[in-house]
Amino acid sequence: AAAPAPLLPLAVALRALNCLLVRTSFVPDEHWQALEVAHRMLFMILNIHNYGYLTWEWANRLRSYSYPLIFASIYKVLQLLGKDDVQLLIWVPRLAQAVLAAFADVKLYSLVQHLENSETAKCVLFCQLCSWFTWYSCTRTLTNTMETILTIFALSYYPIKGSKMGNSCKYLALVALAIVIRPTAVIPWMPLVFSHFLQEQRKADLLLRNCIPVGLVTVGTSLIIDRVFFGEWVLVQLNFLKFNVLQNLGTFYGSHPWHWYFTQGLPVILGTHLPFFIHGCVLAPKRHRIFLMAVIWTVLVYSTLSHKEFRFIYPVLPLCMVFCGYSLNHLKAWKKPAATFLLLSNLIPALYTGLVHQRGTLDVMSHIQPLCNNSEQSQAFVFIMMPCHSTPFYSHVHCPLKMRFLQCPPDLTGNESYIDEADVFYSNPLGWLNNEFYNDTLSPSHLILFNVLEQEISSFLTLRSYEKTATVFHTHVPQGRIGSHIYIYRRKTETNH
């Protein structure tokens, strides 16, 4: 049974609106592992502008070019149409992600409709569309977002016991693609693929006709793409798993207790869906147990790694929505009030996190963009004095402006006393600035900083005649090095007196 005809246009319209109502930053990866890389791939290889920046993960061959290639292709099309304007470079990739998210929503509906009935499918789709975390994440250019979308697509072809809609080749190809883009996608799919293998009568056929050919084609394609851009043969997925899982070097970016996903991670991303999820798990028929197993297994595996983030378990959120919808559908007389409660309780966090919380680091880019259009460009030098990768970079200015930020690559040489540039800076900001820009001619024309830093470096600002030209709101919950507002300082020169 196909989804009702108007469902897709409605989903696309809703996700496009969703995209426009998300104007905040979540994690640096949505820019630094996608758009920045794509921007550099296209505009540096074309030698149009000699600019772009790759983070340490790329220098250490931990990431595959397969995902940024999607955005580089979008940029290429815009460029051929003569429309590579900075606003389009920012919004078109996100709108493309939004359209994919809409297709995934409809696929989820069709899957449940096939397994259950239209009523349950409607409830699952409602839960999926209400989810504040899905709203917050599904239009971002994160590998986790693409992993989640591909997981839904793959599930719609997954051979579930008693269902006629399975297609081994299609679902395995989508899983393989997800693994190429983000190797951790292997985690939620382990129990699902294993379960499929156990119930499959023709095991040798499955391996020889599906698993091996699909694996060879996807890994081969990924190898070729990375060979082109790295200039050597490299299996980045292996490096990625080695770094994050075996060496557990992700702890450089913070660590959490083992129970974090159970006590905070899952409850937060589920939000007010949590009671429905628990109720749905109790109610759901036996054949859905495999979905629940995938959720529990994924959360358990991620719990063993010390570096934890909400987005890591985002790919199992749609599986949770199946149980939430199941619960909602069973509430008969209470269905309407429960649905109203879900909608209203998710609306506030969705709008707040999408429009208010942590928006300054994106808004500040619109103050830098004008530097590209005037005679100042050759003299301009923008220094971003914030925790590293706080803001996007060239993908959000699209001109070869001189820019710099504080760097923080982890040490991979085993040096015990290693301190990254950002930490050195924050231990003595004033001393660092005086040392780095000892000569007036070296000083940046523009400084971008969080308000919490202003007091400490005020003498440098006065002495070098900087004036504050803009104040940008960032967050209501400043923490540590991250302030509530961002200040832009511009250096006075003879011409602007």
Side-chain angles (χ1 to χ4, degrees):
L7 196 55
L8 185 61
L10 267 171
V12 170
L14 183 75
R15 289 302 181 202
L17 175 70
N18 182 168
C19 178
L20 298 174
L21 291 179
V22 173
R23 292 169 174 263
T24 52
S25 57
F26 179 11
V27 284
D29 279 15
E30 62 183 302
H31 304 115
W32 290 91
Q33 305 298 352
L35 302 183
E36 290 305 327
V37 183
H39 192 273
R40 187 179 181 276
M41 281 164 86
L42 181 64
F43 296 105
M44 216 150 137
I45 284 166
L46 292 172
N47 283 332
I48 303 174
H49 314 292
N50 186 24
Y51 62 98
Y53 185 90
L54 290 182
T55 58
W56 63 272
E57 286 102 327
W58 297 87
N60 289 290
R61 315 279 194 261
L62 294 181
R63 298 277 180 167
S64 170
Y65 276 103
S66 311
Y67 183 58
L69 188 60
I70 300 167
F71 302 115
S73 312
I74 293 174
Y75 287 169
K76 182 69 187 160
V77 171
L78 287 171
Q79 193 212 8
L80 290 172
L81 296 171
K83 294 268 185 269
D84 58 338
D85 152 73
V86 66
Q87 290 306 322
L88 288 174
L89 293 183
I90 293 169
W91 287 100
V92 174
R94 290 206 41 213
L95 282 164
Q97 203 88 45
V99 171
L100 279 175
F103 271 94
D105 294 336
V106 175
K107 277 282 189 205
L108 189 64
Y109 174 91
S110 304
L111 169 71
V112 179
Q113 187 188 29
H114 188 90
L115 289 179
E116 295 295 325
N117 50 49
S118 294
E119 275 312 296
T120 312
K122 274 179 203 157
C123 290
V124 171
L125 181 64
F126 177 78
C127 289
Q128 166 78 352
L129 296 176
C130 275
S131 160
W132 80 270
F133 192 79
T134 300
W135 178 273
Y136 181 60
S137 308
C138 76
T139 64
R140 296 182 184 275
T141 51
L142 276 165
T143 49
N144 311 82
T145 300
M146 191 59 100
E147 181 192 344
T148 306
I149 288 169
L150 289 170
T151 293
I152 298 176
F153 285 157
L155 278 173
S156 65
Y157 296 111
Y158 178 75
I160 291 159
K161 245 187 185 151
S163 132
K164 304 258 187 306
M165 57 190 284
N167 181 322
S168 300
C169 201
K170 280 186 185 169
Y171 104 82
L172 286 167
L174 288 158
V175 172
L177 186 59
I179 293 168
V180 160
I181 286 172
R182 191 167 177 86
T184 48
V186 74
I187 298 168
W189 280 99
M190 271 166 139
L192 290 158
V193 173
F194 186 64
S195 158
H196 171 211
F197 185 71
L198 287 181
Q199 66 180 42
E200 181 66 53
Q201 265 92 45
R202 302 187 299 263
K203 290 182 171 47
D205 260 21
L206 178 67
L207 279 174
L208 297 171
R209 288 194 175 173
N210 292 317
C211 296
I212 293 171
V214 162
L216 288 174
V217 170
T218 36
V219 172
T221 310
S222 161
L223 272 171
I224 291 165
I225 291 170
D226 290 328
R227 168 81 178 82
V228 170
F229 292 101
F230 281 124
E232 62 183 44
W233 293 106
V234 55
L235 189 58
V236 288
Q237 291 78 13
L238 199 63
N239 292 350
F240 181 88
L241 289 172
K242 203 160 73 181
F243 178 86
N244 287 302
V245 181
L246 303 177
Q247 298 172 301
N248 207 359
L249 287 167
T251 45
F252 180 79
Y253 293 109
S255 56
H256 297 82
W258 68 268
H259 55 76
W260 187 84
Y261 284 118
F262 293 98
T263 52
Q264 287 174 54
L266 202 56
V268 167
I269 71 169
L270 275 167
T272 50
H273 285 74
L274 185 61
F276 296 89
F277 172 63
I278 294 167
H279 181 225
C281 289
V282 176
L283 280 182
K286 229 176 179 171
R287 64 176 177 278
H288 288 6
R289 243 175 238 168
I290 183 64
F291 292 161
L292 184 57
M293 245 176 74
V295 173
I296 294 169
W297 163 259
T298 304
V299 176
L300 280 173
V301 172
Y302 274 119
S303 296
T304 63
L305 302 175
S306 40
H307 178 58
K308 299 175 172 65
E309 289 185 41
F310 293 114
R311 63 189 174 109
F312 293 171
I313 53 169
Y314 174 37
V316 297
L317 193 58
L319 288 175
C320 298
M321 292 304 141
V322 173
F323 295 96
C324 297
Y326 209 85
S327 158
L328 187 62
N329 193 41
H330 273 260
L331 291 175
K332 304 292 179 245
W334 289 95
K335 199 197 280 191
K336 274 225 165 81
T340 311
F341 163 74
L342 269 179
L343 183 63
L344 295 176
S345 60
N346 277 276
L347 196 63
I348 296 153
L351 291 174
Y352 179 77
T353 55
L355 291 170
V356 182
H357 179 59
Q358 294 184 357
R359 68 171 292 155
T361 49
L362 291 185
D363 288 347
V364 81
M365 300 311 283
S366 59
H367 293 270
I368 301 176
Q369 287 153 6
L371 294 176
C372 290
N373 308 334
N374 55 26
S375 52
E376 279 183 68
Q377 191 191 309
S378 54
Q379 273 80 53
F381 170 21
V382 179
F383 184 33
I384 302 165
M385 289 194 288
M386 291 150 103
C388 63
H389 307 122
S390 289
T391 63
F393 216 45
Y394 286 113
S395 66
H396 282 56
V397 292
H398 193 50
C399 76
L401 192 66
K402 187 180 178 192
M403 294 199 291
R404 177 178 171 187
F405 63 93
L406 297 166
Q407 305 204 14
C408 59
D411 170 59
L412 301 176
T413 60
N415 174 3
E416 291 294 313
S417 56
Y418 170 78
I419 307 172
D420 65 58
E421 183 181 48
D423 284 342
V424 173
F425 169 81
Y426 280 105
S427 63
N428 177 9
L430 189 61
W432 190 94
L433 285 169
N434 287 327
N435 194 23
E436 193 74 13
F437 306 116
Y438 58 88
N439 186 334
D440 247 14
T441 52
L442 301 171
S443 296
S445 61
H446 293 74
L447 297 176
I448 297 173
L449 55 136
F450 279 120
N451 55 338
V452 286
L453 187 65
E454 187 184 43
Q455 205 54 50
E456 266 188 276
I457 60 164
S458 54
S459 62
F460 177 85
L461 298 171
T462 318
L463 203 67
R464 302 292 174 100
S465 47
Y466 281 101
E467 56 180 343
K468 194 186 296 180
T469 56
T471 299
V472 179
F473 169 78
H474 182 60
T475 177
H476 288 120
V477 277
Q479 283 174 314
R481 297 170 180 179
I482 294 166
S484 60
H485 290 76
I486 295 169
Y487 293 155
I488 300 175
Y489 273 89
R490 178 168 156 209
R491 199 161 176 220
K492 290 186 213 158
T493 56
E494 272 51 58
T495 47
N496 15 340
H497 275 311

